Amino acid sequence: MLDADLAHERDYVKGLYTRLDELREEKRGQLAAVRKAGAIGSSQNVSERDAFAAMYEDRLAQLDAVEDRLVFGRLDLDDGESQYIGRIGMSTEDLRRLMVDWRAPEASHFYQATAFDRQGVRRRRHLILQGRDVKALEDDVLDSELLADGAAHHQGEGALLAALNSKRTGRMADIVSTIQAEQDRIIRAPLPGALVVQGGPGTGKTAVALHRAAYLLYSHRDRLKSAGVLLVGPSSSFMKYIERVLPSLGETGVVMSSVGRLMPGITAVPERDARVAALKGSERMVSLIAAAVANRQRIPPSERILEVEGYKLLLTPREVRRAREKARATGKPYNEARNTFVKILLRELTEQLQAKVEASGSGNTADRSYLAEDVRQSRDVRVAVNLCWMPVTAEKLVSELFSKRSILDAVAGDFTPEERDLLRRPSEAPWTEADVPLLDEAAELLGELDASTGHEAARREAERRRDLENAQQALRNVDASLREQGIDGVVEAEDLVAFQQGPEVRLTAAERAVGDRTWAYGHIIVDEAQELSYMQWRLLVRRCPLKSFTIVGDIAQTSSAAGASSWGHALRPFFGDRWTLEELTVNYRTPSQIAEAAARMAAAAGFVVSAPKAVREGLWDPIIDRVTARADGADPVVHRLVEVIPEELEAADGGLVAVIAEGPLLRWAREALRAAYGPRVGGGAGSFEQDIVVLDPREAKGLEFDVVVVLEPSELLDDAHGKVGDLYVAMTRPTQRLRLIAKGPLPAGIVQGEPAG
């Protein structure tokens, strides 16, 4: 019976791939025909041509992205029908459904149905594919009558366990075929509001976040296609780790950014000093940046004589103060309000000049319009006005604030001398992740450096909106044709407008959002959200005025000194009590022996951690290597590491080995491994093409490896340097095996019943 069922499924899957190839070829042909036709005919004909071209391009990208594991499940229903579940929906030419998109409402039964709540499902079948071939079947029989009737069903390792035991490649794989019920409930949660997903290590938080992004774009495409979705992760290595998941789920329109890249044009480095990170992440920075902006609006200490075309004009502190107050009263950002300030002063100075010209009896008495231009062009006037209110960029404001002690002392009255010393930085120092929200805060208060830039942007946006209205009208004529082909929601008016702008500027909403600091997203997903500071949250909430968020993390894994001690503490300043907490309770990644050791260590160190239940037991208990000083002076930890790497590579069996360390030990380990194993050793963040990756706990956050070797674990518990939780993070990265190499005391709890030492 297995052979017959396997043959049947292979035939069906072969048919699905044949249909996929047909659709690809069809769309390529249609796209080529549209492009060959060129821009001819009426404007309506051109609009329809462009709409079809946009549709074909998007559909092709989607069809190409779902090649791997196109279909993964089948539901046998009470009514005798069967539904195949896959990455996208697929129909025959006469609209007979061949496969249901995993995000469709009816596909939820594949993830949620149980023997106690069958939801109309008699049997759930998992299809295990290799390439385009079905290699194995896995049946969950939910209807006991099927068993009583002797219906065939097939058991194997289990789709979930097979996925958990597969080798890591350095790139995250989607879990679309193995989503569990508690994960599916969160993925399909309503869009509005803030949803917090709390989960310990290995619970699939990141996978849930990514699949939720794909689900929301499918279910709320009208709203989110134009506004976009932003996904924020903790590091560049993390973003590289997850970059292939969303395309494999049929979505390419999500903006993915690490925290240090949320300010356009700025690529920030980590803030290594925990004290500085905590200070720059605090709410006190709001008033400090505001004070720095106000400090740029200066009143001269005394009257100033200005020379204009041979006449002496008087600029008084009173006039400057009055102009400043009127400019501030506009409520506009600093650089835009400066225009009001300048106009007021120029008008008053022009009136002075006119009075002097009239008193002297010289010049053209009929036309005095040239006097205003004389005042505007005067070097004395330009210098005086700029000294009172100089235009400034966010980068210049923050750089001078922290590099010039006189400015910092002038505005940081609430900060101690020690805190001011922490904030000091050379003007040429690179921007850090803690600086990014300060730059964003400054940019919000300053506005555009050239106000005309903002007006030009507004003009372009008005033109885009007019084009959008025209495109919507054109698409009404196209819509019926799309639906006849079984395609819904693929072409949007936004796509058409972008297409009509020409290939060189044809940008999606996501692409436009990347370079626009003021872009308002429709939804934001934040992973490892426990690491965010107050100022980073302030930046993100500014990016999504509707406050539609999916917030993913684990308070127990907070390692940033500016991070959260509780979700309430982090979120109430921005969301009040308008957020919902969901918790993931099952650890799918970490073998039980390793998970239990990490939890014991955390408890012994005073950390409050959630302890999700591990679904499997590993082959190895944590391996402890205690080493002592060597007579040759070599570092014993690094020496032992080089010795055991062959054993760990064998245990990984083609998977990834990660070495996690901190400080100088990290550098020594990388150098020693490269000397011994050459190109098999990766260089740190984002280097996952090799067999061995050497990185610190912050770079490892959110990632997973087959084997993990932790060096000198006690150094990762140094609370004085803001690394609380780093050891817990490091110990919970492996999917198979964990080794710890220690010269110093071993943290308590790692070995059951054994105290520290």
Side-chain angles (χ1 to χ4, degrees):
M1 183 59 73
L2 172 60
D3 290 342
D5 281 358
L6 195 58
H8 171 78
E9 301 299 0
R10 284 174 172 166
D11 285 342
Y12 195 90
V13 170
K14 181 180 179 180
L16 290 175
Y17 274 106
T18 298
R19 180 58 179 156
L20 179 66
D21 291 337
E22 289 173 354
L23 291 172
R24 286 171 174 167
E25 192 60 32
E26 176 184 300
K27 300 311 165 194
R28 289 191 187 100
Q30 290 168 332
L31 180 59
V34 166
R35 286 174 173 169
K36 185 177 180 180
I40 58 176
S42 66
S43 59
Q44 179 173 318
N45 289 339
V46 173
S47 294
E48 291 184 3
R49 177 200 69 112
D50 291 344
F52 275 111
M55 174 190 70
Y56 300 144
E57 288 179 341
D58 289 347
R59 184 63 167 167
L60 266 175
Q62 184 187 51
L63 294 173
D64 288 340
V66 298
E67 170 72 25
D68 185 41
R69 292 174 296 151
L70 172 66
V71 58
F72 48 81
R74 176 181 126 179
L75 294 177
D76 294 338
L77 307 176
D78 284 343
D79 61 8
E81 296 294 322
S82 293
Q83 290 180 344
Y84 284 83
I85 313 297
R87 296 179 178 277
I88 58 172
M90 192 179 292
S91 301
T92 62
E93 287 189 61
D94 59 1
L95 301 186
R96 179 174 59 85
R97 178 174 277 184
L98 297 174
M99 184 169 67
V100 178
D101 192 302
W102 70 273
R103 296 167 290 188
E106 57 265 45
S108 65
H109 306 314
F110 183 77
Y111 304 109
Q112 297 173 2
T114 68
F116 300 100
D117 179 19
R118 294 196 297 108
Q119 302 180 18
V121 177
R122 305 194 74 191
R123 175 170 53 192
R124 172 174 47 229
R125 171 166 289 176
H126 298 269
L127 306 177
I128 316 301
L129 270 63
Q130 185 177 43
R132 292 187 166 198
D133 188 27
V134 180
K135 287 297 183 182
L137 307 177
E138 179 79 24
D139 285 345
D140 299 326
V141 178
L142 308 183
D143 184 355
S144 59
E145 292 184 5
L146 277 181
L147 295 176
D149 293 341
H153 61 282
H154 311 290
Q155 301 296 327
E157 179 184 14
L160 176 61
L161 286 178
L164 296 177
N165 288 323
S166 63
K167 303 304 177 187
R168 269 46 194 173
T169 65
R171 294 289 187 274
M172 185 178 182
D174 63 73
I175 60 167
V176 65
S177 62
T178 58
I179 293 170
Q180 302 301 293
E182 68 172 5
Q183 296 172 327
D184 187 70
R185 186 184 69 253
I186 294 170
I187 290 169
R188 297 175 190 268
L191 173 66
L195 173 67
V196 179
V197 183
Q198 161 70 36
T203 53
K205 300 183 297 296
T206 298
V208 167
L210 292 168
H211 288 70
R212 178 160 169 77
Y215 171 78
L216 291 176
L217 282 165
Y218 174 88
S219 302
H220 303 275
R221 191 170 295 276
D222 288 344
R223 169 176 165 180
L224 296 180
K225 185 69 181 292
S226 58
V229 173
L230 172 65
L231 191 150
V232 179
S235 65
S236 57
S237 58
F238 176 85
M239 303 315 292
K240 186 171 183 178
Y241 174 64
I242 68 172
E243 65 185 356
R244 297 180 185 174
V245 174
L246 281 168
S248 75
L249 297 173
E251 296 295 346
T252 57
V254 176
V255 176
M256 297 196 295
S257 175
S258 60
V259 177
R261 293 180 179 245
L262 288 175
M263 182 76 178
I266 300 294
T267 300
V269 301
E271 181 66 74
R272 292 300 184 183
D273 190 321
R275 298 167 301 169
V276 175
L279 187 57
K280 288 183 177 179
S282 70
E283 187 177 359
R284 300 167 68 192
M285 289 295 113
V286 176
S287 58
L288 179 64
I289 298 299
V293 172
N295 184 61
R296 291 279 180 162
Q297 303 161 334
R298 296 162 183 155
I299 307 297
S302 60
E303 296 176 344
R304 180 166 180 165
I305 303 297
L306 309 176
E307 185 171 327
V308 180
E309 296 297 321
Y311 295 95
K312 296 187 182 301
L313 308 182
L314 184 65
L315 182 66
T316 68
R318 179 174 176 274
E319 289 172 330
V320 174
R321 182 175 291 105
R322 185 172 63 230
R324 185 182 71 175
E325 296 311 312
K326 287 183 178 180
R328 286 178 173 178
T330 65
K332 295 180 179 178
Y334 171 98
N335 286 319
E336 295 178 32
R338 179 180 180 274
N339 289 337
T340 301
F341 173 79
V342 171
K343 287 178 182 178
I344 293 172
L345 286 187
L346 291 182
R347 184 173 65 244
E348 293 185 356
L349 291 171
T350 300
E351 290 173 355
Q352 280 191 46
L353 179 59
Q354 182 171 342
K356 288 183 178 292
V357 170
E358 290 175 351
S360 69
S362 63
N364 185 347
T365 58
D367 181 11
R368 306 290 190 186
S369 60
Y370 66 90
L371 297 179
E373 187 62 23
D374 288 344
V375 171
R376 181 183 299 277
Q377 295 298 328
S378 167
R379 181 182 182 280
D380 278 8
V381 172
R382 293 201 308 271
V383 170
V385 169
N386 282 336
L387 286 174
C388 296
W389 195 318
M390 176 76 79
V392 66
T393 64
E395 290 88 340
K396 184 175 179 63
L397 180 100
V398 176
S399 177
E400 292 188 353
L401 171 64
F402 292 150
S403 64
K404 296 184 177 180
R405 187 60 185 255
S406 60
I407 297 178
L408 189 58
D409 287 342
V411 301
D414 294 336
F415 290 76
T416 66
E418 293 76 17
E419 288 175 326
R420 296 179 202 177
D421 287 339
L422 286 174
L423 291 174
R424 288 288 304 279
R425 48 165 277 163
S427 59
E428 68 276 8
W431 295 112
T432 70
E433 292 172 356
D435 291 325
V436 168
L438 309 187
L439 291 168
D440 190 75
E441 186 76 17
E444 188 73 10
L445 296 176
L446 294 173
E448 295 285 351
L449 183 60
D450 181 358
S452 65
T453 301
H455 298 322
E456 177 64 18
R459 183 189 65 78
R460 290 197 303 269
E461 178 61 18
E463 289 181 353
R464 193 188 70 81
R465 290 186 181 277
R466 286 196 299 272
D467 291 342
L468 187 59
E469 292 176 2
N470 294 334
Q472 288 169 339
Q473 178 62 40
L475 284 176
R476 293 190 183 98
N477 299 320
V478 178
D479 187 61
S481 297
L482 302 185
R483 294 184 184 280
E484 286 177 4
Q485 298 181 53
I487 301 169
D488 184 25
V490 174
V491 176
E492 302 291 340
E494 287 274 350
D495 298 325
L496 176 54
V497 171
F499 188 90
Q500 289 175 321
Q501 292 172 348
E504 69 280 0
V505 291
R506 185 177 180 234
L507 303 178
T508 65
E511 290 167 333
R512 294 198 304 275
V514 169
D516 186 351
R517 191 196 63 82
T518 63
W519 189 273
Y521 289 95
H523 190 78
I524 295 181
I525 297 175
V526 190
D527 203 350
E528 301 295 345
Q530 74 279 355
E531 302 297 338
L532 297 188
S533 68
Y534 175 92
M535 293 302 295
Q536 288 168 333
W537 275 116
R538 186 174 171 91
L539 179 156
L540 289 178
V541 171
R542 187 178 290 133
R543 298 288 199 277
C544 187
L546 294 176
K547 297 185 179 181
S548 178
F549 277 73
T550 300
I551 298 163
V552 180
D554 179 15
I555 292 296
Q557 295 187 58
T558 302
S559 60
S560 169
S565 57
S566 72
W567 290 121
H569 178 265
L571 302 179
R572 284 196 184 100
F574 307 99
F575 300 96
D577 293 325
R578 295 182 298 277
W579 51 278
T580 304
L581 178 66
E582 294 279 0
E583 186 158 5
L584 294 169
T585 61
V586 179
N587 184 338
Y588 299 100
R589 175 179 67 220
T590 318
S592 58
Q593 306 98 308
I594 297 174
E596 290 164 6
R600 289 195 305 267
M601 178 280 301
F607 303 158
V608 178
V609 300
S610 56
K613 182 179 180 181
V615 299
R616 65 198 174 100
E617 185 175 347
L619 298 177
W620 299 278
D621 291 332
I623 301 168
I624 311 297
D625 273 348
R626 290 183 171 92
V627 296
T628 58
R630 292 174 53 83
D632 60 8
D635 185 283
V637 173
V638 174
H639 185 272
R640 180 59 178 160
L641 169 67
V642 174
E643 284 185 336
V644 301
I645 281 295
E647 182 181 341
E648 301 307 327
L649 288 169
E650 183 179 354
D653 190 22
L656 273 174
V657 175
V659 177
I660 301 178
E662 186 62 277
L665 194 57
L666 176 68
R667 184 179 72 255
W668 300 337
R670 185 175 291 143
E671 291 172 353
L673 289 174
R674 282 179 173 168
Y677 299 99
R680 301 186 72 181
V681 181
S687 299
F688 300 125
E689 307 304 327
Q690 294 81 6
D691 299 325
I692 307 166
V693 181
V694 185
L695 66 175
D696 66 33
R698 287 170 297 281
E699 293 172 325
K701 191 175 290 290
L703 310 185
E704 59 184 38
F705 308 94
D706 297 272
V707 174
V708 170
V709 181
V710 179
L711 306 185
E712 207 60 84
S714 60
E715 291 186 1
L716 306 188
L717 284 176
D718 186 358
D719 188 32
H721 292 87
K723 292 180 286 194
V724 174
D726 278 0
L727 180 56
Y728 183 64
V729 169
M731 290 182 64
T732 53
R733 296 309 94 196
T735 64
Q736 305 296 336
R737 174 159 145 148
L738 171 67
R739 180 188 292 266
L740 302 102
I741 305 177
K743 177 177 64 176
L746 193 69
I750 292 178
V751 179
Q752 191 165 11
E754 183 176 314

